[in-house]
């Protein structure tokens, strides 16, 4: 047998049993420790390690060694140089610590190359798949059909303009130069896209910012073919692909002609040919440089740059004209700057050469009140459905309005008949010219605008809608809000409780008004401010009912300070008056109507009183269909509680007295329960009557302003109609009465809800105290059965009965002594409750909804546009 096959000699006590015993000794070391150390023997020298152990023993030793090495040894076992079978070696197996997460240059470059390849392939596929724009399809516009409330057609607009596609040869060089200079100087050399502009637009949309259109003419041309698409990232990518395709495949003249043939210019005109006909009554090939610069200016945004005006408070004809002129001059200067017009040519076009426009084709189709009705409904649709002016102009909408044709006709007839009776422009041109009328009528129970009068008509070149125009002060029609706030929140004299309309306030002319600290207000010269009345009559102290009846200024000028201006604003806003129309100043004139709501808002606001404190937002559209499909969001606005029902009903009771006995007596001819308030402003620049029945609330405004002037400043109406001055109880009340009589013909006569006695009697400082033990005055409502004993006579009679003045005498000195007791003419100083018999509020529990009258804290309804 060979040497290497010879079986070695066994040590003493050797064999496998010995090996096992050796392995069991000193478990912390030896085989168990992972080191190859021989075990000592008591009977001899160190034995040599056995060359042949069992396989089971080897496995056990390997397991013990693995357990002893720990994490560090395990990582070393996987050490560098060991192959990694993953497709992507990340985190890297050949690195330790944070270096494992540091990508290699191969990984970085490979990823970038792969991403670029994917983007390139995707872009190529996208460009190949998209279609180029069709200018004929983009220029097609349908009619918008507007319907009356009963579903019959009012008018169909849009789609009637000439939308002929013209070749580039018919577009004058002046138009091409103006557009390129204004919108895309590098158009003739770029590749159809602006990478930096695209990056900004994509970033804004991806991060939720405002969307942005294409910045080049090519991109804008592409955008014009997607007017019905959503402003989304998907749409932007599609536009980008098409723009790139056009930039490399189409001639620049083709792209420019496509853009000018599909762009929207206002006046329902799509395309340069339609725009030239709409604004100048000529073919586009005949446009001169000034007219071309104008149309290039309008492209900035027709809603804000069309001098006819647009949708929204910032798009009035005056503001649009101002913007258009500035933009027009800028375009001409820009042409010189980029070398597309020489300075000598530019010098020809001064501000006086701003192009004159022809009458709008659209206006010729909107006779009478139709233009104002369509304008009001269109604005409501665009706001509610978030539709742009361009989308609306493309048409396809069927719009059911709230307007009732019989009522619209009745309101127009009432205005025109009264105008013809009172005004004579030929006889009194210096007085009767530029007198404007506006009116609106709202359904009390729903907030529907059933009728409005906006002016003579678009066909008469009057485009401002007087029914929806803010800027005309409402005068004394504002006083009911001051009274409502006093009944709702109380005054500093009522210890937080709502006050009664029987509370007395100083009413003498030129009375000094005190602030909330009891100190006199100061005028511009630093002297105590004295409030002026319409009449110098020495009224003395009067109840708030009488102050409203005769529209005396002094009591309300003081009351607004006792209540607090913000409280009055809260009440007004809860009834639908918009924040932006409120006078922001905390002065005495705030109580007398220096705020400027529209006729629509005033009618809707007073409807809140008629509805016992429930407010409905005014609306003009009940249904909208696009290509036969209903659009959501046109349900009737939800009713909201604006004030306690008892407060609203007491305001109505006071305003009924205005019609029965006060400045609004001409409205008595209506012949049914009615409440209302007259309003006249300083210098007689406006006159209002706002009134209501349980069914309808209607406002009428009269003012004088030259519609063609730049500032449209209000002018005095003294001498209009051959009278010294115009008041709300004159022409406006006559118009209101004539309309309401016709609008309510055949409707059952219904009374207003009975008003409860609410609030505490909290007279102003300085008011005389009543005789002790004076009994409470009886209810104004008749008892069902006569009293067994006559009511006691108050030793200090108040103005409770009818005045001795004739009904048509708006301002006279009554013979009754009620309410004219003497007192301090300066209003005295602030104090506690003066003259109140008990100092506590009357019980006002009611079965109708709302908060008990007089207590504070009722949340107001949010105002919306």
């Amino acid at each position: 047998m060979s040497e290497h096959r010879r079986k070695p000699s066994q040590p003493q006590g050797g064999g496998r049993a010995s090996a096992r015993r050796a392995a069991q000794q000193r478990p912390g070391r030896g085989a168990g420790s992972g080191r190859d150390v021989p075990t000592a023997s008591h009977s001899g020298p160190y034995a040599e390690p056995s060359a042949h152990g069992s396989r089971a023993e080897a496995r056990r030793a390997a397991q013990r060694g693995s357990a002893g090495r720990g994490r560090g040894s395990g990582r070393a076992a996987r050490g560098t140089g060991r192959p990694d079978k993953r497709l992507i070696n990340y985190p890297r197996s050949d690195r330790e610590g944070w270096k494992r997460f540091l990508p290699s240059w191969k990984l970085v470059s490979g990823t970038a190359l792969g991403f670029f390849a994917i983007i390139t392939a995707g872009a190529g596929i996208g460009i190949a798949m998209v279609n180029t724009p069709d200018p004929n399809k983009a220029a097609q516009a349908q009619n918008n059909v507007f319907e009356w409330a009963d579903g019959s057609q009012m008018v169909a607009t849009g789609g009637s303009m000439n939308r002929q596609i013209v070749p580039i040869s018919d577009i004058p060089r002046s138009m091409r130069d103006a557009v390129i200079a204004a919108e895309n100087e590098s158009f003739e050399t770029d590749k159809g896209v602006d990478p930096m502009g695209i990056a900004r637009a994509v970033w804004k949309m991806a991060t939720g910012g405002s969307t942005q259109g294409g910045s080049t003419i090519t991109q804008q041309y592409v955008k014009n073919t997607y007017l019905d698409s959503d402003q989304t990232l998907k749409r932007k990518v599609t536009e980008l692909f098409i723009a790139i395709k056009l930039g490399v495949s189409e001639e620049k003249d083709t792209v420019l002609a496509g853009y000018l043939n599909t762009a929207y210019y206002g006046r329902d005109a799509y395309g340069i040919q339609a725009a030239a006909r709409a604004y100048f009554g000529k073919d586009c090939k005949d446009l001169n440089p000034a007219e071309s610069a104008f149309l290039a200016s309008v492209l900035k945004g027709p809603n804000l740059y069309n001098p006819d005006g647009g949708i929204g408070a910032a798009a009035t004809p005056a503001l649009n004209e101002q913007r258009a002129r500035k933009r027009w001059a800028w375009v001409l200067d820009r042409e010189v700057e980029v070398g597309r017009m020489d300075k000598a040519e530019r010098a020809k076009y001064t501000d006086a050469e701003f192009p004159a426009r022809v009458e709008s084709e659209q206006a010729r189709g909107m006779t009478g009140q139709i233009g104002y009705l369509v304008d009001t409904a269109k604005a409501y649709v665009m706001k509610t459905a978030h539709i742009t002016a361009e989308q609306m102009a493309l048409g396809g909408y069927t719009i059911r309005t709230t307007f009732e044709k019989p009522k619209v006709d009745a309101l127009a007839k009432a205005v025109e008949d009264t105008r013809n009776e009172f005004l004579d422009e030929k006889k009194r041109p210096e007085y009767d010219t530029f007198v404007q009328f506006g009116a609106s009528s709202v359904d009390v129970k729903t907030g529907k605008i059933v009728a409005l009068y906006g002016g003579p008509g678009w066909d008469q070149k009057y485009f401002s809608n007087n029914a929806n125009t803010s800027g005309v002060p409402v005068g004394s029609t504002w006083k009911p809000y001051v009274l409502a706030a006093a009944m709702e929140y109380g005054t500093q004299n009522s210890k937080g409780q709502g006050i009664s309309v029987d509370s007395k306030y100083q009413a003498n002319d030129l009375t000094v008004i005190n602030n909330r600290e009891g100190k006199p207000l100061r005028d511009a010269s630093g002297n105590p401010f004295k409030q002026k009345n319409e009449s110098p009559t020495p009224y003395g102290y009067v109840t708030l009912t009488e102050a409203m009846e005769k529209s005396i200024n002094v009591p309300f000028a003081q009351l607004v300070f006792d209540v607090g201006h913000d409280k009055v604003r809260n009440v007004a806003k809860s009834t639908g008056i918009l924040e932006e129309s409120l006078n922001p100043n905390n002065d005495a004139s705030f109580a007398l109507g220096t705020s400027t709501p529209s006729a629509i808002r005033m009618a809707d606001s007073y409807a809140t009183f008629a509805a016992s404190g429930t407010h409905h937002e005014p609306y003009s559209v009940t249904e909208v269909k696009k290509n036969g499909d209903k659009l959501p969001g046109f349900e009737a606005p939800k009713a909201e509680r604006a004030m306690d029902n008892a407060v609203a009903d007491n305001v109505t009771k006071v305003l009924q007295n205005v019609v029965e006995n006060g400045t609004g007596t001409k409205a008595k001819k209506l012949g049914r329960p009615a409440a209302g308030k007259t309003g006249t402003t300083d210098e007689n620049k406006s006159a209002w009557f706002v009134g209501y029945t349980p069914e309808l609330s209607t406002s009428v405004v009269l003012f004088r302003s030259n519609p063609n002037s730049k500032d449209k400043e209000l002018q005095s109406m003294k001498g209009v109609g051959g009278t010294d001055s115009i008041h709300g109880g004159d022409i406006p009340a006559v118009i209101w009465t004539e309309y309401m009589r016709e609008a309510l013909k055949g409707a059952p006569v219904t009374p207003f809800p009975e008003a409860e006695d609410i609030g505490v009697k909290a007279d102003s400082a300085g008011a005389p105290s009543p005789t002790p033990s004076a009994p409470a005055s009886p209810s104004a409502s008749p008892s069902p059965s006569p009293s067994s004993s006559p009511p006691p006579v108050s030793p200090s009679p108040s103005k409770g009965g009818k005045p001795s003045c004739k009904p048509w005498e708006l301002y006279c000195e009554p013979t009754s002594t009620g309410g004219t007791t003497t007192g301090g003419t300066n209003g005295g100083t602030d104090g506690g409750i003066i003259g109140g018999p008990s100092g506590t509020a009357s019980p006002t529990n009611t079965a109708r909804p709302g908060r008990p009258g007089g207590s504070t804290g009722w949340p107001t309804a949010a105002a919306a546009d």
Side-chain angles (χ1 to χ4, degrees):
M1 183 178 294
S2 64
E3 184 66 26
H4 70 275
R5 303 274 300 189
R6 186 180 298 121
K7 183 176 181 180
S9 59
Q10 299 291 333
Q12 184 178 359
R16 295 183 178 178
S18 176
R20 285 195 297 270
R21 286 193 299 270
Q24 293 170 0
Q25 295 176 6
R26 302 178 68 183
R29 301 181 63 180
S33 67
R35 287 180 288 183
D36 195 10
V37 180
T39 305
S41 173
H42 295 285
S43 58
Y46 290 108
E48 293 184 4
S50 173
H52 297 277
S54 68
R55 294 181 178 177
E57 178 180 287
R59 285 196 299 271
R60 288 193 294 271
Q63 292 170 357
R64 288 192 295 269
S66 176
R69 283 191 297 268
R71 295 180 62 186
S73 299
R75 200 160 45 239
R78 296 192 304 268
T80 60
R82 192 168 183 176
D84 195 308
K85 297 181 179 180
R86 292 178 294 171
L87 179 62
I88 300 176
N89 185 20
Y90 190 83
R92 300 170 66 181
S93 62
D94 56 345
R95 293 288 187 271
E96 295 187 18
W98 62 270
K99 294 183 179 180
R100 297 178 62 222
F101 299 96
L102 185 67
S104 66
W105 67 269
K106 293 181 179 180
L107 180 61
V108 173
S109 59
T111 301
L113 183 62
F115 182 76
F116 179 77
I118 293 172
I119 292 297
T120 303
I125 295 172
I127 293 172
M129 292 181 64
V130 298
N131 297 319
T132 56
D134 181 358
N136 291 285
K137 180 179 179 181
Q140 292 174 355
Q142 307 175 58
N143 285 334
N144 285 321
V145 178
F146 291 82
E147 299 175 343
W148 295 103
D150 62 4
S152 59
Q153 182 170 311
M154 178 194 302
V155 68
T157 68
S160 60
M161 300 296 293
N162 177 16
R163 285 173 172 79
Q164 178 184 352
I165 303 301
V166 295
I168 192 68
S169 59
D170 284 351
I171 301 175
R173 170 57 62 181
S174 64
M175 184 66 197
R176 287 180 264 173
D177 287 340
V179 172
I180 292 174
E183 300 194 24
N184 188 185
E185 176 189 352
S186 63
F187 169 72
E188 293 177 338
T189 58
D190 64 35
K191 300 300 182 183
V193 296
D194 176 6
M196 293 303 296
I198 294 171
R200 288 192 300 268
V202 171
W203 172 256
K204 281 184 175 291
M205 285 187 288
T207 56
S210 59
T211 57
Q212 294 186 356
S215 58
T216 68
I217 286 177
T218 305
Q219 288 175 265
Q220 293 181 66
Y221 167 40
V222 173
K223 181 174 72 72
N224 289 344
T225 67
Y226 288 88
L227 287 174
D228 287 333
S229 301
D230 294 331
Q231 296 282 352
T232 62
L233 184 59
K234 178 181 177 182
R235 172 195 149 168
K236 193 64 189 176
V237 172
T238 303
E239 290 178 4
L240 173 62
F241 287 159
I242 297 176
I244 295 174
K245 186 172 185 177
L246 288 177
V248 298
S249 64
E250 293 288 353
E251 296 291 335
K252 288 294 183 179
D253 282 351
T254 302
V255 174
L256 182 58
Y259 171 58
L260 295 177
N261 277 317
T262 57
Y264 180 62
Y265 297 79
R267 286 195 173 185
D268 276 355
Y270 276 90
I272 184 62
Q273 174 66 9
R277 300 298 307 178
Y279 285 100
F280 305 115
K282 61 173 66 174
D283 292 330
C284 67
K285 63 182 179 181
D286 298 323
L287 293 171
N288 62 41
E291 293 165 341
S292 295
F294 171 83
L295 293 179
S297 301
V298 172
L299 285 176
K300 175 73 172 176
N303 191 61
L304 294 177
Y305 289 86
N306 176 6
D308 297 341
I311 303 299
T316 64
L319 292 176
N320 281 18
E321 173 98 13
Q322 182 180 9
R323 277 188 289 263
R325 285 178 176 271
K326 289 183 179 179
R327 178 74 177 177
W328 174 76
W330 179 86
V331 169
L332 292 171
D333 291 339
R334 180 67 175 165
E335 289 187 69
V336 175
E337 182 180 345
V338 301
R340 293 183 176 272
M341 178 183 287
D342 57 44
K343 294 183 178 180
E345 178 75 6
R346 170 66 181 93
K348 298 178 182 178
Y349 307 113
T350 61
D351 189 61
E353 300 299 321
F354 187 71
R357 283 88 56 202
V358 299
E359 182 182 352
S360 170
E361 178 74 21
Q362 184 183 25
R364 290 197 292 270
M366 298 284 194
T367 60
Q369 298 304 303
I370 299 299
Y372 309 117
L373 300 177
V374 167
D375 182 61
T376 302
K378 185 188 296 185
Y380 187 82
V381 170
M382 291 170 62
K383 178 181 178 181
T384 303
H386 306 290
I387 297 172
T388 66
E390 291 84 352
Q391 290 172 320
M392 180 63 71
L394 278 177
Y397 297 95
T398 301
I399 300 167
R400 176 78 59 86
T401 71
T402 60
F403 305 123
E404 300 178 18
K405 190 176 187 303
K407 290 184 173 62
V408 171
D409 292 342
L411 184 55
K413 185 178 185 301
V415 172
E416 299 302 333
D417 287 351
T418 306
R419 177 201 293 273
N420 295 336
E421 181 179 350
F422 279 88
L423 303 181
D424 191 337
E425 295 185 19
K426 294 182 180 180
K427 183 178 179 180
R428 294 181 294 270
E430 70 276 23
Y431 298 114
D432 289 4
T433 54
F434 307 135
V435 178
Q436 308 295 334
F437 295 80
S440 178
S441 187
V442 173
D443 182 86
V444 166
K445 296 179 176 62
T446 63
K448 293 179 181 178
I449 306 173
V450 297
L452 60 79
Y453 183 88
W458 286 12
D459 54 324
Q460 301 299 316
K461 299 183 180 181
Y462 191 88
F463 298 101
S464 295
N465 185 354
N466 291 340
N468 199 31
T469 297
S470 61
V472 181
V474 296
S476 292
T477 58
W478 194 256
K479 291 173 181 175
Y481 303 115
V482 183
L483 177 62
M487 290 192 289
E488 184 85 3
Y489 296 104
T491 67
Q492 57 188 8
N493 297 333
S494 67
K495 298 182 179 179
Q497 301 183 74
I499 70 171
S500 164
V501 294
D502 292 328
S503 301
K504 291 186 176 183
Y505 269 72
Q506 172 63 257
N508 285 339
D509 189 34
L510 298 177
T511 294
V512 173
I513 304 301
N514 296 327
N515 60 21
R516 290 184 66 82
E517 288 73 38
K519 299 178 180 179
L521 300 181
R522 299 291 174 175
D523 59 20
S525 301
N527 298 317
F529 169 75
K530 298 180 179 181
Q531 179 61 56
K532 183 173 178 56
N533 289 329
E534 176 74 14
S535 167
T537 302
Y539 295 106
Y541 282 84
V542 300
T543 65
L544 294 176
T545 296
E546 184 178 355
M548 187 74 74
E549 171 192 313
K550 297 177 179 177
S551 199
I552 309 172
N553 291 336
V554 168
F556 292 98
Q558 183 60 61
L559 182 61
V560 73
F561 283 95
D562 292 350
V563 175
H565 291 73
D566 286 342
K567 299 279 196 318
V568 178
R569 289 189 181 94
N570 289 340
V571 167
K573 288 190 292 185
S574 74
T575 65
I577 302 298
L578 300 180
E579 175 81 34
E580 55 266 28
S581 66
L582 295 175
N583 174 11
N585 300 317
N586 293 336
D587 50 24
S589 63
F590 173 79
L592 310 180
T594 49
S595 296
T596 58
S598 67
I600 290 176
R601 284 288 165 178
M602 287 300 290
D604 175 71
S605 178
Y606 269 47
T608 305
F609 298 134
S612 295
T614 300
H615 174 243
H616 301 82
E617 270 292 291
Y619 66 107
S620 56
V621 174
T622 59
E623 181 183 272
V624 177
K625 293 181 180 179
K626 177 65 183 295
N627 299 325
D629 297 327
K630 283 187 179 181
L631 300 186
F634 291 95
E635 302 79 13
K638 294 182 179 180
E640 298 199 35
R641 171 63 56 180
M643 66 183 69
D644 174 44
N645 52 287
V647 170
D649 292 342
N650 270 271
V651 171
T652 294
K653 181 180 178 181
V654 171
L655 297 186
Q656 277 186 280
N657 185 60
V658 172
V659 172
E660 290 295 323
N661 307 310
T663 58
T665 54
K666 288 187 177 180
K668 289 175 64 175
K669 294 182 179 179
L670 179 61
R672 62 171 66 217
K677 184 68 186 77
T678 59
T680 307
T681 58
D682 286 345
E683 301 297 326
N684 205 202
K685 291 183 178 180
S686 65
W688 289 74
F689 185 80
V690 187
Y692 54 90
T693 67
E695 299 82 17
L696 286 179
S697 177
T698 301
S699 63
V700 179
V701 59
L702 185 67
F703 60 96
R704 191 174 180 219
S705 174
N706 183 354
N708 300 317
S709 64
K710 290 185 178 181
D711 54 11
K712 294 181 173 56
E713 184 179 358
L714 296 178
Q715 303 175 17
S716 175
M717 291 189 293
K718 293 181 178 180
V720 168
T723 61
D724 292 337
S725 60
I726 300 294
H727 296 87
D730 296 328
I731 296 178
V734 170
I735 294 173
W736 183 92
T737 305
E738 294 302 314
Y739 161 71
M740 293 288 280
R741 180 188 292 120
E742 186 66 25
L744 295 172
K745 183 180 294 185
V749 176
T750 56
F752 287 110
E754 183 178 349
E756 305 172 7
D757 292 332
I758 63 171
V760 297
K761 186 177 179 184
D763 299 338
S764 67
S769 301
T771 302
S773 73
S777 58
S779 171
S781 302
S783 303
S785 59
S787 175
S788 58
S789 60
V793 178
S794 171
S796 179
S798 62
K799 188 72 177 71
K802 294 184 179 180
S804 60
C805 298
K806 302 260 198 265
W808 59 85
E809 294 180 292
L810 299 180
Y811 300 99
C812 68
E813 193 169 328
T815 57
S816 171
T817 59
T820 58
T821 53
T822 59
T825 58
N826 291 338
T829 58
D830 293 332
I833 300 176
I834 301 176
S838 63
T840 59
S842 303
T844 58
N845 293 333
T846 174
R848 293 192 298 278
R851 178 178 50 75
S855 61
T856 61
W858 184 262
T860 60
D865 183 30

